[in-house]
Amino acid sequence: MAIKAIIKTGKYYDSVALMIMAQKINRLHESLNSAVVMATTENKSILKNAGLYLDEFEKTTDADLIIVAEASDQQIIKKAMDKADELLCAFDKSSNDSVDFLPKSLEGAIEQMPQANLALISVAGKYATSEAKKALANGLNVMLFSDNVSLEDEIELKKIGAKKGLLVMGPDCGTAIINGVPLAFANVVNRGNIGVVAASGTGLQSVTTLISNNGGGISQAVGTGGRDIKEQVGGTTFLQALAMLKSDPNTEVILLVSKPPHPSVLDKIGALVKTIDKKVVALFLGASSEQVESLGMIAADTLEEAAYLALEHCGKFSEAALCDFKANKLAEFEGLQQTVIQLSRQLKPQQKYLRALFSGGTYSYEAQLLASSYLPDLYSAAPVEGVNKLKDVHRSEKHTIIDLGEDEFTAGRPHPMIDFSLRNQRIIQEAQDPSVAVILLDLVLGHGANLSPLDELVPTIEKAQDLCKQQSRLLPIICSVTGTDNDPQIKAQVVTALTKLQVVVAPSNAKALKLALSVLKGGK
Amino acid sequence: MRLLSYGDSLETGSYKLHSTFKNVINFTGLGGKKDIVSLVKTPITDAPNHLVFDYFASDLTSVTSLIITDHQFIAKTSRTQISFAKADCDDCKTYVSTFELPKNYTLEQLEHNIQSVKKQVCAYSQDAGLSFLLDNKTKQAASTNPFEREFKIKVTKDIDKFFSPHWIQGAQGLRGCGPGLTPSGDDFLLGSIIAIILLTPIMDSAKLPEINVIADMAKSDNLISNNMFFWTVQKKYTGMIKQLIQVLTDINPTTKKLNQCVNEVTNLGSTSGVDLLVGLILSIQRRHQWQLKQ
């Protein structure tokens, strides 16, 4: 057996660090025996009995640290010592950094940060209500990331919050940007004068990133949870947030995003909007523009349009700049359209169908709305009006649009924005189907999302392309990327890598869908 | 950075940097003085020798030396120095580390409360540190790691010796024994000292070991361990230990309060808090064995 040690004199590491170090070293190899201990006389006697003693320990004192490892061969020992060195360096660095202490209870968190005014709660649904109540009792606004909270509990929590003037964002609220801080699944966007209220997580990410990437900025972006705009909840949080943006001096334009609210909620929103002396852009996906406009709001039909309308009214751009902006966007789209038309001409006659595999629920919803009037044979796992329901969600039929974030797909696994495995399998499955003409994807970046999306997506796309090549087919893949260059994944790098793979990267989900339709229509 | 409170036992003098952790910077006296003064950030609690700053005192880690005078604290970094005049600290208060034990608690009540503490430790910290000593099943479980195996054998033997008339040898054996910056044996002995302090007013103290002797036996080159023994023997406690003593001597503490307090202690270090509680629990439960003839 080989044995080696490191002795650290005059260096102190806290007990947690020592424990982590011991665990990590022992996990390197099964034949490895190690100890990380202070060099006290008693510990040295234990090391002797354990067969882990070296003569060099003789001169050590109680205040020295011994890291010793024994293994069947020198290679493993070297690995262990390298790991120890690496960990010691990391601990040295972290003791100089201000690393957060992780509280283990809400009380502990409040004690640690008494000036906090918001609690982000992400615990199992059955415990979420009581934690949210505790937070509200302590005067904290709540962002409830947890799902599986009953409708009754949501209503009760929102009533408590409203009474105290506190927001309850959620349950199932996946994203928000408060005072420039991205919470949960959110992107690093510029600060600015556009305030967003959204009952749609992907919708909020989409509009905030489009605004930021095109020169605008966000004052606040409040998520409400999808059920907030239903009749029973009455839009409590949506209305509270809208009222807050109304009086926020840093917000000059307000952007509302959701599926169509219940008529009673929409009336309340309309009544409040009429008291607001700021431009209010609204995207109630699927609602009629006339109805929205009659309530004093500027209506948008797509997420992209909503973002651009907010930019148009934020006062940051001159008329000429806006004209250029629109012209550039049009030219960019026409360029992409030419590309897909070229691709569509290379398709085989049997390649007829669209397969859209989304990780963002709102994108799936928006795509269905936009595609349903063009594609009568459209299927989905969660169909909108006029779209057929899939018999088996794991098997596509004709034109299919699915959201892999739906409960049927996520049971027992992380959200597809984090874990790509299920969608990767589905991409391969679709690539093997000779009737598929185009695959449409979304890729959502930002905090909370998969930090290395390319590591998993690129090999899958390559494999799909190889499969098609073997059958002398071409399979166009179109993808929209939601994110910014300030996100941890850096959008520009992701776009470049996808473009290199011949993936058509669209500037928005709506444009991606339009490009996919162009493929199906062969440029007609 | 904002000074929130300072301990009541800080001695005037110059101090040099001893060790730096995420939320604690330790300084040791110049000129052979071995006492430790710590600059800490919340949520680390008060102690007789702590200067407690708010959590956002990010520049705390750049402090390299400290001077304490009768009227002010001067923290020096390599580039600058920051003074905190005691008189100017409006919100800042002196932390009183002493604590008078209530007069009306009984042995039965203490035993009852310690049983609840044991339950909580067994439920939530069953694999941590010395907690295996609280449960016969885990006590007998063999460890595959040779150091852990030998440590278990030694610590079990020394603890058995400690709970006997030969407790001095037991304490000597436990000193500096086991993993951790403050080795598990030291934390165990600290818990035992607290137990003896709690037992002294309610039983014949002649039947108990002397806490000064335990602390003397436990003295080593580990200044951090020495420091915790030094203050505890003088019955000067950290905020966390004061709370624990309060709960244990309470006639009928609520389960919530007791569990909260135990959880806070178990969060101390990787196993320090658990080891301390094991020392406390076993010392109260096995107190009769200090008088047994071997």
Side-chain angles (χ1 to χ4, degrees):
Chain A
M1 293 291 259
I3 180 165
K4 212 167 175 184
I6 294 174
I7 297 168
K8 282 276 170 184
T9 301
K11 280 272 192 186
Y12 299 90
Y13 301 91
D14 67 48
S15 298
V16 178
L18 298 181
M19 181 191 70
I20 291 169
M21 196 184 310
Q23 284 174 349
K24 290 202 169 174
I25 293 172
N26 279 331
R27 273 187 213 138
L28 286 174
H29 195 269
E30 56 190 12
S31 80
L32 202 56
N33 291 315
S34 73
V36 180
V37 288
M38 300 306 286
T40 62
T41 314
E42 298 305 323
N43 280 342
K44 285 190 273 190
S45 86
I46 299 173
L47 289 172
K48 265 182 196 159
N49 291 336
L52 293 170
Y53 192 82
L54 291 171
D55 290 343
E56 59 200 270
F57 299 162
E58 210 59 49
K59 289 179 192 158
T60 56
T61 72
D62 296 354
D64 296 331
L65 175 70
I66 291 176
I67 303 155
V68 59
E70 177 205 54
S72 50
D73 76 61
Q74 292 290 352
Q75 285 283 335
I76 300 164
I77 290 286
K78 189 180 175 311
K79 245 187 185 175
M81 291 295 111
D82 288 348
K83 187 74 185 170
D85 266 335
E86 176 199 318
L87 290 167
L88 287 170
C89 287
F91 292 138
D92 282 341
K93 188 181 174 298
S94 73
S95 70
N96 292 324
D97 294 345
S98 179
V99 177
D100 287 350
F101 173 90
L102 296 176
K104 295 187 178 169
S105 66
L106 187 67
E107 292 83 357
I110 293 167
E111 199 178 311
Q112 181 179 313
M113 198 187 273
Q115 63 277 57
N117 68 357
L118 187 148
L120 196 166
I121 297 171
S122 174
V123 295
K126 60 180 171 180
Y127 307 113
T129 304
S130 71
E131 289 301 319
K133 278 185 185 167
K134 262 192 253 172
L136 290 168
N138 280 288
L140 299 172
N141 295 287
V142 169
M143 177 172 176
L144 203 49
F145 186 82
S146 315
D147 56 4
N148 293 320
V149 173
S150 71
L151 185 65
E152 293 72 29
D153 282 355
E154 176 173 357
I155 294 166
E156 189 194 354
L157 286 171
K158 290 191 169 176
K159 273 187 187 159
I160 299 171
K163 213 170 172 186
K164 288 172 165 266
L166 298 168
L167 283 175
V168 177
M169 298 185 271
D172 205 9
C173 176
T175 176
I177 302 169
I178 306 296
N179 293 328
V181 180
L183 299 171
F185 285 95
N187 304 87
V188 185
V189 299
N190 296 331
R191 299 211 65 186
N193 62 357
I194 300 172
V196 181
V197 184
S200 141
T202 318
L204 186 146
Q205 286 191 268
S206 178
V207 295
T208 54
T209 51
L210 282 166
I211 289 168
S212 184
N213 290 338
N214 288 289
I218 303 300
S219 55
Q220 309 287 349
V222 181
T224 66
R227 284 194 312 219
D228 188 77
I229 48 165
K230 290 194 184 293
E231 184 182 17
Q232 298 95 319
V233 188
T236 311
T237 306
F238 206 94
L239 292 162
Q240 271 181 287
L242 181 55
M244 283 176 176
L245 293 181
K246 173 189 171 182
S247 53
D248 175 24
N250 296 318
T251 299
E252 290 174 40
V253 175
I254 298 170
L255 172 52
L256 310 177
V257 181
S258 77
K259 290 177 187 169
H262 185 269
S264 63
V265 177
L266 187 59
D267 284 346
K268 287 188 216 167
I269 294 171
L272 181 54
V273 166
K274 282 181 181 153
T275 69
I276 299 176
D277 190 20
K278 298 174 181 179
K279 296 280 185 199
V280 179
V281 177
L283 169 68
F284 297 134
L285 275 165
S288 83
S289 299
E290 292 76 21
Q291 192 185 9
V292 174
E293 279 162 4
S294 71
L295 293 168
M297 294 174 261
I298 301 160
D301 285 331
T302 65
L303 292 159
E304 185 185 28
E305 192 190 1
Y308 292 167
L309 281 169
L311 277 171
E312 203 174 315
H313 290 94
C314 77
K316 213 178 157 186
F317 307 102
S318 67
E319 213 155 297
L322 284 169
C323 275
D324 284 350
F325 173 75
K326 284 176 189 168
N328 288 339
K329 290 288 164 198
L330 190 62
E332 181 190 20
F333 182 65
E334 282 170 354
L336 289 170
Q337 212 161 17
Q338 286 307 312
T339 308
V340 298
I341 288 168
Q342 295 298 327
L343 293 173
S344 70
R345 289 183 182 147
Q346 299 171 54
L347 297 183
K348 301 239 169 172
Q350 70 268 32
Q351 288 185 266
K352 291 189 284 193
Y353 296 121
L354 162 75
R355 300 288 154 85
L357 311 173
F358 289 109
S359 60
T362 308
Y363 285 152
S364 165
Y365 190 86
E366 183 182 51
Q368 287 187 60
L369 288 175
L370 294 171
S372 58
S373 52
Y374 298 99
L375 306 173
D377 292 330
L378 181 59
Y379 288 80
S380 176
V384 303
E385 206 183 320
V387 175
N388 307 297
K389 188 160 173 60
L390 281 172
K391 284 188 202 87
D392 174 1
V393 297
H394 299 290
R395 199 163 290 282
S396 298
E397 289 177 57
K398 296 183 177 174
H399 301 293
T400 295
I401 296 178
I402 53 169
D403 163 24
L404 288 130
E406 286 286 346
D407 291 346
E408 297 99 311
F409 300 105
T410 55
R413 61 168 74 230
H415 193 276
M417 285 183 195
I418 304 167
D419 178 358
F420 290 1
S421 54
L422 193 64
R423 183 162 76 170
N424 287 345
Q425 285 170 23
R426 190 71 179 243
I427 292 172
I428 300 300
Q429 189 181 318
E430 303 299 355
Q432 285 167 330
D433 181 346
S435 69
V436 175
V438 58
I439 289 181
L440 178 60
L441 304 173
D442 62 346
L443 183 55
V444 181
L445 312 178
H447 291 290
N450 188 318
L451 284 174
S452 312
L454 295 172
D455 290 352
E456 296 188 44
L457 193 55
V458 168
T460 304
I461 291 174
E462 284 172 339
K463 191 175 171 190
Q465 290 170 334
D466 281 350
L467 277 168
C468 293
K469 213 171 172 185
Q470 284 165 21
Q471 295 170 18
S472 310
R473 275 190 290 128
L474 175 84
L475 179 59
I477 298 176
I478 299 170
C479 181
S480 70
V481 181
T482 304
T484 71
D485 289 347
N486 291 322
D487 281 330
Q489 302 89 344
I490 312 173
K491 184 183 175 186
Q493 288 181 7
V494 173
V495 171
T496 306
L498 290 176
T499 310
K500 269 189 194 162
L501 287 171
Q502 312 298 323
V503 172
V504 178
V505 180
S508 70
N509 181 54
K511 294 260 169 69
L513 191 271
K514 282 179 190 166
L515 291 171
L517 292 177
S518 296
V519 174
L520 297 178
K521 289 186 285 182
K524 286 171 219 149
Chain B
M1 53 189 181
R2 202 157 62 91
L3 180 62
L4 302 177
S5 65
Y6 52 88
D8 57 0
S9 304
L10 292 164
E11 281 196 35
T12 57
S14 295
Y15 295 84
K16 65 175 181 181
L17 187 64
H18 173 269
S19 47
T20 306
F21 304 106
K22 283 169 200 164
N23 294 316
V24 181
I25 323 293
N26 294 315
F27 295 85
T28 180
L30 288 171
K33 281 170 77 176
K34 293 278 177 80
D35 47 339
I36 286 223
V37 170
S38 305
L39 304 187
V40 306
K41 290 196 280 186
T42 55
I44 305 286
T45 58
D46 285 299
N49 59 330
H50 281 185
L51 287 134
V52 182
F53 291 84
D54 69 290
Y55 179 70
F56 296 99
S58 53
D59 36 359
L60 208 62
T61 46
S62 57
V63 177
T64 50
S65 66
L66 184 70
I67 297 169
I68 301 178
T69 72
D70 286 334
H71 306 292
Q72 61 180 341
F73 309 106
I74 303 163
K76 288 186 171 183
T77 70
S78 56
R79 281 176 295 176
T80 181
Q81 69 174 43
I82 314 157
S83 303
F84 300 93
K86 291 181 187 175
D88 292 344
C89 289
D90 290 339
D91 310 329
C92 153
K93 52 184 187 296
T94 310
Y95 167 69
V96 180
S97 62
T98 50
F99 173 70
E100 203 164 317
L101 290 174
K103 297 208 172 8
N104 55 350
Y105 71 97
T106 64
L107 194 54
E108 290 71 35
Q109 189 190 312
L110 183 64
E111 278 184 315
H112 175 264
N113 288 344
I114 214 72
Q115 192 56 35
S116 306
V117 172
K118 184 178 172 179
K119 229 188 247 174
Q120 182 74 355
V121 174
C122 288
Y124 290 97
S125 309
Q126 52 182 327
D127 298 322
L130 298 176
S131 65
F132 70 91
L133 292 162
L134 300 177
D135 181 336
N136 272 334
K137 267 190 226 155
T138 50
K139 202 171 169 179
Q140 283 153 14
S143 174
T144 49
N145 179 293
F147 181 86
E148 277 174 27
R149 191 178 55 235
E150 292 302 322
F151 166 65
K152 266 190 170 181
I153 294 168
K154 179 172 165 44
V155 88
T156 308
K157 203 177 81 191
D158 287 329
I159 284 173
D160 284 341
K161 191 167 269 178
F162 181 67
F163 291 113
S164 81
H166 306 289
W167 54 266
I168 293 181
Q169 287 103 303
Q172 277 173 330
L174 287 169
R175 181 206 87 116
C177 180
L181 175 67
T182 53
S184 295
D186 292 2
D187 295 316
F188 179 93
L189 290 174
L190 186 73
S192 185
I193 289 173
I194 296 167
I196 295 167
I197 291 172
L198 286 169
L199 288 168
T200 301
I202 52 175
M203 65 177 279
D204 180 1
S205 59
K207 293 180 178 173
L208 296 168
E210 291 165 56
I211 55 173
N212 291 317
V213 178
I214 297 179
D216 272 350
M217 289 301 114
K219 212 174 262 177
S220 68
D221 289 339
N222 186 330
L223 293 190
I224 297 172
S225 284
N226 287 355
N227 190 65
M228 63 189 201
F229 286 118
F230 175 76
W231 293 117
T232 311
V233 165
Q234 290 193 44
K235 296 175 188 164
K236 292 186 171 189
Y237 312 108
T238 65
M240 191 187 284
I241 297 300
K242 252 168 95 166
Q243 267 180 20
L244 179 67
I245 293 175
Q246 257 163 344
V247 168
L248 289 173
T249 54
D250 195 332
I251 295 174
N252 198 10
T254 62
T255 311
K256 188 182 169 193
K257 199 170 157 191
L258 189 135
N259 290 351
Q260 209 170 336
C261 184
V262 172
N263 289 348
E264 274 186 37
V265 178
T266 54
N267 283 342
L268 198 68
S270 66
T271 63
S272 288
V274 174
D275 298 336
L276 181 151
L277 288 172
V278 172
L280 176 75
I281 295 164
L282 291 183
S283 298
I284 289 172
Q285 294 190 328
R286 295 177 67 175
R287 64 188 183 278
H288 306 294
Q289 295 175 316
W290 276 315
Q291 284 303 301
L292 292 177
K293 293 267 180 290
Q294 284 214 315

